[in-house]
Amino acid sequence: MGSVDYPSLEFEYGDTDSYTAELSELYSYTEEPEFVTNRRCFEEDFQTQVQGKRWPDLDTAQQKAYVMRLLDGLEVVNRDKRLQVARAILYLAQGVFGECDNELDVLHWSRHNNFLLYQMGMFTAFLELLNMEIDNSQACSSALRKPAISLADSTELRVLLSVMYLMIENIRVELKTDSPEWKTSREAFKTELSFPVHSEEPFAVLLFTMVIKFCSGHAPHFPMKKVLLLLWKVLLFTLGGFEALQVMKMKKREDLCLPPLPEDSIQVMRSMRAASPPACSIELIEQQQQKRGHRSRRPLMKQDSLDIYNERDPFKNDEAGVDEEENDDVDSGIEGELDLMEREAIIQALPAQRPPIERVCFPKGLPWAPKVRQKDIEHFLEASRHKFIGFTLGQDTETLIGLPRPIHESVNTLKQHKYVSISDIQIKNEEELEKCPMSLGEEEVQETACEILYRAMLYNLPQYMIALLKILLAAAPTSKAKTDSINILADVLPEEMPITVLQSMKLGIDVNRHKEIIVKSISALLLLLLKHFKLNHIYQFEYVSQHLVFANCIPLILKFFNQNIMSYITAKNSISVLDYPYCIVHELPELTADSLETGDNNQFCWRNLFSCINLLRILNKLTKWKHSRTMMLVVFKSAPILKRALKVKQAMMQLYVLKLLKIQTKYLGRQWRKSNMKTMSAIYQKVRHRMNDDWAYGNDIDARPWDFQAEECTLRANIEAFNNRRYDKPQDSEFAPVDNCLQSVLGQRLELPEDFHYSYELWLEREVFSQPIRWEELLHYQ
């Protein structure tokens, strides 16, 4: 494996990568010749309209007039002419690079033109064309008949999706230099995408429909990478990124009269220092030989307490053998020295010494404020009353009569750090609404972008989640090529396969890059959905989570991490000279095998590290406080897989790995804990403390295996009750008001089906006139 002391990665987590990187990832390297085609289509049309002038020379009125002409051209019947006009519009959206001298000019004109295109109504026109292409059964059947699908099968769709992506990405990104007119356009565009007026569903749902259609095999030619990138950016634009989420969360807590958040999680993680990973056994032997002279400075320890570190990990497999900690007493450890937490434990274990009083102040150096749940206080009081009094008082956390003074102080300390989440309030409100539907009346639901999206996604949500995970599986680097798996390379493979070694190498890099971008977009959009739905309503989040779990999301993410994760994060699957916008304003150098292998000079691949952190965050969200799902982590032997991910020296990624290890520690057994003391120390140093959580000892009552199935079933029943109450409102409900007035009932205007108007005479004859009226039956009802 080489040296375990990998350098710390200077990575700053955010909503997206840099502006240019996000634009360049839209295009595959095999699409490069199409830049020239787009330019030719534009210039041929432009010279017939505006002779002797360049696009930057036109004033705003002339530019708008020309865009109006292009809009008219989109309405022609001829498919090829429509495509030429769409390509000309794409050239405008790409920044009229033929008129530019450098990359900054291209980006400036791309931004200017995209705002202009939106203001002229171009997005609505392209939305209509996209709907036509999605419903184009001829293209679908043609693709299904082909033995191999290539770029040529998705030409129209790729042009349309590229224009829409460029418009959303350019308008979404806010700059200080933006004019008031552009700011107004941004808000209008955001509202248009979030709150559809003409169509019944938000734009994101149309893209989800494309994903389902692709995964079902009915439309194998859909360019999935572009669809997923566009879907991610639409959600990011309409719902908001991580900073917007934090502001919304603070606002919602304020509205619910809850205390403010103790800290901003992402800001805390940015200031955290990465830890050294657990060492390999080969390096430990080398370090042992080097440090024999330094042993005298270490605290005294019994030999048998050192020997316990050498016990084998029960979850260790052949691949992970070199990664497990076998001689922790000689290793310099997670932080390079035996940390204070371990020293304190050792000193406390020695009978002759007592820790000094000031040791109690040690936790103030920890990065997180400790949190306590209401349930934790109830459990603590229940155990204390049972021990000292002999009976319990249920959920009463106020009555402390009969309990000794230290218990009073403990309860006060727990209450000081009590944290009530928005989810707790929502669950409590839901319980009350279920109990008293009549007296509490109907719930007022705020029409947010998130609420509208959930309502539109609700009935097909399981299919959406399954489809996204299918694509994620196909794009994972650990997946083997199978005949029955979906083909996600339709929009990267050229019509003519490469014939030289150089072309094959270039295509190989392009395919790997293509898969990485798909993983990045799926991981980011799933995380966004989970976070926004959780803030909007906890049961919306739980509904998405449960379907992800049912679709095997947990083993899929573990499968993703069961690889050489450092190789994945430092992968060089990019050719910087072929990236947009560099490739369209510079003469391309002669590509050689050496230049392809070299790649860029970056320390790591931003998108791959971003994807890994997103997948770890998703895994944390699915398993947090869910003991049945935590057991899945244990059953799938995730501990050695996650421990290998600690090799990546990036604080945020390490934190989420340590969180996942913490929640399953109590189930892994004493032997695992003894063998992994350095990992346990890292958890103490970096993960938030829950005051009376004995995660490190396995004494928790929640560890009983017979409760797990019931937990998932109860959650499912609560989710169904929520969805039925809020979104299924049948007219024949037992709580629906009944109109008993004969005149008003007979006076109601009923909407009859259209075909009834043609056959109502026949209906009258059959159902009314030909039916005998039995007046004597009325006497039986008296």
Side-chain angles (χ1 to χ4, degrees):
M1 291 294 295
S3 173
V4 292
D5 192 19
Y6 297 108
S8 294
L9 304 181
E10 297 297 322
F11 170 81
E12 188 165 316
Y13 185 79
D15 292 319
T16 60
D17 200 350
S18 65
Y19 175 53
T20 49
E22 293 297 337
L23 293 179
S24 70
E25 287 179 355
L26 177 64
Y27 311 103
S28 302
Y29 296 143
T30 44
E31 287 181 275
E32 189 191 336
E34 297 190 16
F35 286 119
V36 180
T37 311
N38 299 340
R39 180 179 176 180
R40 191 185 69 246
C41 289
F42 172 81
E43 288 177 348
E44 284 175 1
D45 185 73
F46 188 69
Q47 291 308 318
T48 59
Q49 302 302 317
V50 187
Q51 294 179 352
K53 282 193 177 183
R54 297 159 62 245
W55 176 258
D57 299 335
L58 302 182
D59 59 31
T60 307
Q62 290 172 315
Q63 287 178 348
K64 285 183 176 178
Y66 181 69
V67 171
M68 284 299 293
R69 272 207 75 264
L70 291 176
L71 265 171
D72 292 340
L74 288 176
E75 296 181 7
V76 297
V77 177
N78 188 301
R79 187 180 172 83
D80 294 333
K81 285 184 179 177
R82 268 207 319 269
L83 178 60
Q84 285 184 334
V85 175
R87 283 193 179 280
I89 294 166
L90 178 55
Y91 176 71
L92 281 176
Q94 287 170 339
V96 287
F97 49 84
E99 317 291 340
C100 300
D101 300 324
N102 55 54
E103 294 162 61
L104 287 175
D105 283 352
V106 173
L107 296 174
H108 164 77
W109 280 108
S110 175
R111 195 169 163 76
H112 169 86
N113 293 345
N114 277 294
F115 272 99
L116 180 69
L117 291 172
Y118 171 70
Q119 288 163 358
M120 300 305 293
M122 193 64 75
F123 189 84
T124 309
F126 268 69
L127 186 56
E128 290 176 8
L129 290 174
L130 181 64
N131 275 306
M132 283 170 57
E133 282 301 323
I134 292 169
D135 297 334
N136 186 348
S137 56
Q138 187 179 348
C140 292
S141 57
S142 171
L144 285 167
R145 285 196 300 271
K146 286 190 176 182
I149 303 168
S150 67
L151 273 172
D153 296 293
S154 59
T155 304
E156 286 86 355
L157 277 168
R158 283 187 295 107
V159 170
L160 297 176
L161 291 167
S162 295
V163 172
M164 296 171 103
Y165 179 88
L166 288 168
M167 286 176 75
I168 285 172
E169 185 61 11
N170 278 284
I171 295 172
R172 179 188 69 81
V173 176
E174 193 170 348
L175 299 179
K176 292 179 182 176
T177 53
D178 288 351
S179 65
E181 186 185 4
W182 281 10
K183 289 177 181 175
T184 307
S185 294
R186 180 179 296 111
E187 289 306 313
F189 195 18
K190 187 175 177 179
T191 306
E192 183 183 330
L193 292 171
S194 310
F195 306 98
V197 179
H198 304 298
S199 61
E200 293 179 0
E201 56 191 23
F203 178 53
V205 176
L206 176 68
L207 298 174
F208 271 120
T209 308
M210 289 184 76
V211 174
I212 288 185
K213 203 169 179 184
F214 171 79
C215 286
S216 65
H218 296 309
H221 65 297
F222 280 2
M224 238 339 89
K225 185 190 84 174
K226 283 182 166 56
V227 172
L228 291 166
L229 279 172
L230 183 56
L231 177 55
W232 167 36
K233 292 303 170 65
V234 168
L235 294 176
L236 189 59
F237 186 27
T238 55
L239 302 180
F242 300 129
E243 287 183 10
L245 261 165
Q246 190 70 8
V247 173
M248 289 156 65
K249 194 172 182 179
M250 289 165 67
K251 174 75 169 62
K252 196 150 191 173
R253 287 186 69 84
E254 194 180 315
D255 293 343
L256 294 170
C257 302
L258 293 172
L261 292 165
E263 69 270 305
D264 181 346
S265 301
I266 290 180
Q267 291 303 323
V268 173
M269 282 182 267
R270 281 175 182 165
S271 62
M272 287 173 73
R273 191 161 59 90
S276 297
C280 299
S281 53
I282 299 167
E283 297 209 344
L284 289 170
I285 295 165
E286 292 173 3
Q287 288 174 7
Q288 187 175 9
Q289 292 169 352
Q290 292 169 6
K291 293 189 179 182
R292 290 213 182 265
H294 300 286
R295 291 292 293 265
S296 58
R297 283 184 273 172
R298 307 293 288 271
L300 291 171
M301 298 175 73
K302 292 180 185 176
Q303 186 57 42
D304 58 351
S305 69
L306 298 177
D307 291 342
I308 60 174
Y309 293 152
N310 296 326
E311 293 177 24
R312 281 188 63 80
D313 186 340
F315 292 98
K316 200 181 294 179
N317 54 25
D318 292 335
E319 289 181 23
V322 292
D323 295 330
E324 299 302 310
E325 301 156 3
E326 294 174 357
N327 287 307
D328 279 349
D329 54 310
V330 237
D331 178 30
S332 57
I334 287 274
E335 289 293 347
E337 197 60 45
L338 187 67
D339 58 65
L340 287 171
M341 189 66 73
E342 284 181 273
R343 288 184 185 177
E344 185 175 348
I346 293 158
I347 292 165
Q348 285 173 345
L350 295 173
Q353 293 177 315
R354 292 179 66 108
I357 302 301
E358 61 267 24
R359 287 275 181 182
V360 180
C361 300
F362 173 67
K364 74 179 180 184
L366 297 171
W368 307 99
K371 284 182 180 177
V372 178
R373 295 184 299 165
Q374 176 70 16
K375 192 187 290 185
D376 298 331
I377 302 173
E378 289 170 9
H379 284 171
F380 176 74
L381 273 171
E382 188 177 352
S384 301
R385 286 176 184 139
H386 187 74
K387 179 179 179 181
F388 293 104
I389 306 173
F391 63 88
T392 59
L393 299 174
Q395 295 181 337
D396 184 351
T397 58
E398 301 302 322
T399 307
L400 303 177
I401 297 167
L403 296 173
R405 175 58 54 188
I407 299 295
H408 288 231
E409 291 173 3
S410 299
V411 171
N412 289 335
T413 306
L414 289 173
K415 285 182 177 177
Q416 279 174 15
H417 293 94
K418 180 181 168 184
Y419 176 76
V420 180
S421 67
I422 295 168
S423 303
D424 295 337
I425 303 290
Q426 289 171 340
I427 290 170
K428 191 177 177 183
N429 289 344
E430 197 61 30
E431 286 172 358
E432 289 175 0
L433 283 165
E434 283 293 317
K435 284 178 189 173
C436 317
M438 299 294 285
S439 57
L440 291 176
E442 283 212 11
E443 179 190 15
E444 286 185 20
V445 182
Q446 193 178 353
E447 284 292 287
T448 59
C450 189
E451 182 64 31
I452 288 170
L453 179 65
Y454 180 79
R455 195 186 305 137
M457 287 176 66
L458 180 60
Y459 296 107
N460 290 318
L461 199 140
Q463 287 86 350
Y464 297 151
M465 296 304 113
I466 290 167
L468 287 174
L469 293 182
K470 269 187 179 178
I471 299 170
L472 185 61
L473 176 63
T478 51
S479 295
K480 303 288 186 288
K482 292 179 183 175
T483 50
D484 58 340
S485 65
I486 51 176
N487 176 21
I488 55 169
L489 304 177
D491 52 331
V492 70
L493 296 176
E495 283 186 274
E496 297 177 2
M497 293 306 286
I499 51 174
T500 67
V501 174
L502 191 67
Q503 288 174 341
S504 298
M505 284 179 68
K506 181 183 166 186
L507 183 60
I509 291 170
D510 205 5
V511 165
N512 289 336
R513 175 177 176 267
H514 181 82
K515 288 181 176 179
E516 289 172 4
I517 294 167
I518 286 176
V519 172
K520 172 187 172 181
S521 54
I522 291 177
S523 66
L525 75 88
L526 279 176
L527 181 61
L528 268 181
L529 280 176
L530 288 170
K531 285 188 78 67
H532 276 282
F533 285 152
K534 187 173 185 181
L535 185 60
N536 199 51
H537 199 288
I538 182 64
Y539 284 136
Q540 294 177 351
F541 161 80
E542 295 291 6
Y543 188 53
V544 177
S545 298
Q546 203 161 57
H547 281 293
L548 284 172
V549 172
F550 292 162
N552 283 333
C553 184
I554 291 174
L556 171 55
I557 294 176
L558 292 175
K559 179 184 172 72
F560 180 89
F561 279 97
N562 195 19
Q563 58 171 311
N564 186 336
I565 207 70
M566 275 306 298
S567 298
Y568 184 70
I569 281 167
T570 55
K572 305 283 186 186
N573 290 315
S574 60
I575 308 166
S576 52
V577 293
L578 296 181
D579 284 337
Y580 169 91
Y582 183 93
C583 66
I584 52 180
V585 289
H586 294 89
E587 286 291 326
L588 295 183
E590 187 68 30
L591 291 176
T592 62
D594 291 336
S595 66
L596 289 180
E597 283 180 348
T598 306
D600 53 36
N601 298 319
N602 293 335
Q603 186 189 15
F604 57 91
C605 176
W606 196 96
R607 66 173 162 264
N608 288 358
L609 187 45
F610 177 72
S611 301
C612 288
I613 292 174
N614 287 341
L615 290 171
L616 286 169
R617 293 184 77 183
I618 291 166
L619 199 51
N620 266 288
K621 289 201 168 299
L622 296 182
T623 52
K624 189 176 181 181
W625 306 121
K626 304 286 190 304
H627 305 293
S628 55
R629 297 174 192 176
T630 305
M631 281 305 292
M632 289 178 75
L633 293 178
V634 179
V635 168
F636 291 122
K637 299 187 178 180
S638 67
I641 295 170
L642 292 168
K643 271 195 64 185
R644 287 205 298 280
L646 287 173
K647 287 181 178 296
V648 182
K649 286 185 73 173
Q650 204 284 323
M652 192 172 188
M653 181 164 169
Q654 286 183 342
L655 175 70
Y656 286 112
V657 171
L658 292 170
K659 281 185 172 187
L660 287 164
L661 286 170
K662 177 185 175 179
I663 60 173
Q664 58 179 310
T665 301
K666 69 179 78 161
Y667 306 112
L668 294 177
R670 184 178 297 176
Q671 187 176 339
W672 188 91
R673 295 195 290 274
K674 287 178 182 177
S675 307
N676 293 275
M677 287 307 293
K678 294 301 176 187
T679 305
M680 301 285 282
S681 297
I683 293 170
Y684 269 115
Q685 289 173 341
K686 296 190 175 296
V687 182
R688 188 192 302 279
H689 285 241
R690 300 274 171 178
M691 286 204 169
N692 51 351
D693 178 11
D694 60 349
W695 62 272
Y697 305 103
N699 300 327
D700 200 327
I701 57 166
D702 289 327
R704 292 177 302 185
W706 53 85
D707 289 335
F708 296 150
Q709 196 65 37
E711 179 191 54
E712 208 69 53
C713 292
T714 305
L715 178 63
R716 189 171 191 177
N718 290 339
I719 294 165
E720 286 180 359
F722 164 77
N723 283 334
N724 290 337
R725 183 187 62 75
R726 193 185 270 197
Y727 304 107
D728 289 341
K729 294 184 179 173
Q731 295 300 315
D732 57 348
S733 167
E734 59 181 310
F735 298 120
V738 178
D739 189 352
N740 294 320
C741 179
L742 183 65
Q743 285 185 326
S744 66
V745 170
L746 292 175
Q748 283 179 6
R749 186 173 182 83
L750 294 176
E751 289 295 327
L752 299 169
E754 192 176 342
D755 55 348
F756 180 78
H757 296 288
Y758 302 113
S759 57
Y760 76 97
E761 291 177 343
L762 185 64
W763 179 86
L764 278 171
E765 185 62 39
R766 189 178 65 243
E767 300 293 333
V768 182
F769 301 142
S770 63
Q771 293 291 333
I773 301 172
R774 299 184 180 88
W775 297 104
E776 67 278 4
E777 287 187 8
L778 285 172
L779 299 172
H780 298 300
Y781 295 106
Q782 289 183 351

